[in-house]
Amino acid sequence: MAEQSVGINKNSDPEATRHHEPCGKALFRPLKVGSITLKNRITMAALTRNRAQGTYPSDIMKEYYVQRAGAGLIVSEGILISRQGTEWPLAPGLWDDQHVAGWKKITDAVHEAGTHMYAQLWHTGRTSHPDVPEQKLSGAPVYAPSAISARGGKFRQLPGAPGYVTPTAIDDPWVIVKQYKHAAVNAKKAGFDGVELHGANGYLVAQFLDNNSNKRTDQWGGSVENRCRFGLEVLKVLVEVFGSDVSVKISPCGGYNDVGMPLQETLDTFSYFITEAEKLNLAYFTLVRYAEAFDVVLDGKRRATKFDVLDAFRPYIKKAKLFLNAGVTPEEGSELVEAGKVDAIVIGFNYVTHPDVAQRVFRNIPLNNVPDIKHMQTKGDADWSTGYTDYPTAVA
């Protein structure tokens, strides 16, 4: 793969660059996932970075992903299935031919650099705002399962940093299901190896699953089976396009974007959802475990339901592979893979700041780049490479 021509990080141990057996051997065993085989079990999480040209993939995005091609699998940043359902500025989409062409440049480059790439398909539901530029261009309201506003949250890119609004209840969820399928067809044309349904972090799929945000009395709400219906129907149409190369990311503990249910309701809902999704022969599930950083405080209390998602849901995942996300270190991940508790690990924040995570883990070099928090998302007055493609590698 192409790497930045920089020397060893001055805080790293030069001795670590000498050839030796890889650290965490279990993470460097190949893994069959759907129809592809990953070269290692370190995968890169979807990470919103706000570098699209409007909603179209940019050249610097290609550079960013190629830098990180040491991962066994790269999952793209969340890709919007439509203008309606937009939360962040400069987030990419996948609803027209220009999007397809832009993403094709990226997937071709990532494949040439030696790894695989999934597209994460995303709709934000009630966490959008009517004054977000792309949302305004859509000509549609902010949609959600029910007309219930999320609490907390600020749209700092808008004047006055407004909070969430009361959304419009979706009249016919099948319309949104069809949008997911259209995005999957475009992902196939764009050369992605598969698709990951974003069912986590309080976005649209999670809003349907949660009985606090979904108060519908039709076939899409009420019972566990009905609340799971939307996500399962989306997965079915994705499978129609990609076969076994479909996955889903879920965060049962909730917290972020004001979702989360009491423990027993959570266990009942997600065990049913996973059991039914397993019947679709998915490639993998990504389980997002509890992370305090994603557990907001509302009315003086933590919003999430804290429990061990791996212990609770591992028994239901029998055929698909299981990936674990949220604060998983390479050391812990290696132990979990060795013990057969997970098949791969998902690394997020460290892939923002270290383009060569897998190479560092292989050579036991610390993940010690200093984060550029100011430019984590783009700033109008900054070079887009700042805090994006300018992090140094430690491996020459």
Side-chain angles (χ1 to χ4, degrees):
M1 63 171 284
E3 296 191 64
Q4 298 175 57
S5 55
V6 296
I8 300 301
N9 186 299
K10 65 181 181 180
N11 295 318
S12 299
D13 177 7
E15 292 296 314
T17 63
R18 295 181 180 174
H19 178 74
H20 62 285
E21 287 296 309
C23 177
K25 289 182 183 180
L27 295 178
F28 293 92
R29 296 172 189 152
L31 178 67
K32 184 78 181 302
V33 176
S35 70
I36 62 176
T37 298
L38 310 187
K39 62 188 177 185
N40 63 54
R41 299 174 186 231
I42 299 174
T43 73
M44 175 177 156
L47 302 158
T48 298
R49 302 305 308 278
N50 308 86
R51 262 74 173 184
Q53 297 280 359
T55 63
Y56 295 103
S58 59
D59 287 341
I60 199 167
M61 287 169 57
K62 179 174 75 171
E63 179 184 354
Y64 170 79
Y65 285 115
V66 168
Q67 285 179 342
R68 287 153 179 79
L73 176 69
I74 291 175
V75 180
S76 77
E77 59 208 278
I79 303 178
L80 298 163
I81 64 169
S82 69
R83 289 191 194 278
Q84 193 282 330
T86 302
E87 179 181 28
W88 298 95
L90 306 181
L94 195 48
W95 59 81
D96 67 26
D97 289 343
Q98 188 176 339
H99 289 124
V100 171
W103 281 113
K104 187 67 165 61
K105 293 178 182 178
I106 293 173
T107 61
D108 283 350
V110 166
H111 291 150
E112 186 177 350
T115 200
H116 299 285
M117 189 170 186
Y118 267 42
Q120 188 189 75
L121 302 184
W122 188 35
H123 191 300
T124 68
R126 68 178 183 173
T127 66
S128 186
H129 192 280
D131 293 333
V132 170
E134 294 300 332
Q135 180 73 40
K136 291 173 73 173
L137 284 171
S138 76
V142 173
Y143 281 139
S146 301
I148 301 170
S149 175
R151 297 171 294 164
K154 295 291 183 183
F155 292 85
R156 293 183 176 85
Q157 75 271 32
L158 297 176
Y164 296 125
V165 300
T166 300
T168 297
I170 298 170
D171 180 53
D172 182 8
W174 287 112
V175 172
I176 312 296
V177 173
K178 290 177 182 177
Q179 291 176 353
Y180 275 102
K181 184 172 183 178
H182 178 68
V185 169
N186 282 343
K188 190 83 167 180
K189 293 177 182 176
F192 285 100
D193 297 292
V195 288
E196 178 182 276
L197 175 61
H198 196 341
N201 298 348
Y203 295 116
L204 186 61
V205 173
Q207 292 162 29
F208 269 96
L209 288 168
D210 196 284
N211 63 12
N212 295 293
S213 53
N214 183 353
K215 299 294 186 182
R216 300 178 74 100
T217 57
D218 60 5
Q219 65 173 331
W220 304 96
S223 67
V224 167
E225 293 80 4
N226 284 354
R227 285 185 281 110
C228 289
R229 188 182 309 278
F230 180 78
L232 292 172
E233 292 298 340
V234 173
L235 285 173
K236 289 175 186 177
V237 299
L238 300 185
V239 169
E240 288 177 14
V241 178
F242 270 97
S244 64
D245 297 314
V246 174
S247 64
V248 61
K249 179 178 182 178
I250 52 176
S251 53
C253 293
Y256 194 67
N257 284 325
D258 194 18
V259 294
M261 298 175 284
L263 181 58
Q264 191 57 53
E265 292 169 3
T266 300
L267 295 173
D268 292 344
T269 299
F270 284 92
S271 60
Y272 176 82
F273 180 82
I274 292 170
T275 299
E276 293 302 304
E278 265 274 287
K279 297 175 183 178
L280 302 176
N281 296 314
L282 303 184
Y284 68 86
F285 290 83
T286 290
L287 279 181
V288 182
R289 65 184 180 181
Y290 176 84
E292 188 172 299
F294 283 86
D295 186 4
V296 298
V297 176
L298 295 172
D299 301 327
K301 297 185 296 183
R302 291 280 181 183
R303 180 67 180 84
T305 301
K306 187 176 181 180
F307 67 102
D308 187 337
V309 299
L310 187 58
D311 181 64
F313 300 118
R314 184 67 180 100
Y316 297 97
I317 302 173
K318 298 178 171 64
K319 295 183 294 183
K321 299 301 190 291
L322 172 57
F323 296 2
L324 187 65
N325 187 206
V328 185
T329 65
E331 293 78 13
E332 180 192 13
S334 182
E335 293 173 1
L336 289 170
V337 169
E338 196 68 62
K341 294 182 177 181
V342 306
D343 296 293
I345 63 171
V346 183
I347 292 180
F349 187 76
N350 272 323
Y351 256 120
V352 170
T353 53
H354 302 84
D356 57 341
V357 168
Q359 295 93 326
R360 287 181 185 239
V361 173
F362 188 87
R363 292 169 173 81
N364 198 25
I365 299 174
L367 299 173
N368 58 3
N369 284 347
V370 178
D372 183 348
I373 300 298
K374 180 180 178 181
H375 298 107
M376 198 66 66
Q377 273 77 41
T378 51
K379 305 296 179 183
D381 59 348
D383 182 328
W384 277 16
S385 66
T386 304
Y388 188 59
T389 56
D390 61 347
Y391 286 104
T393 59
V395 182

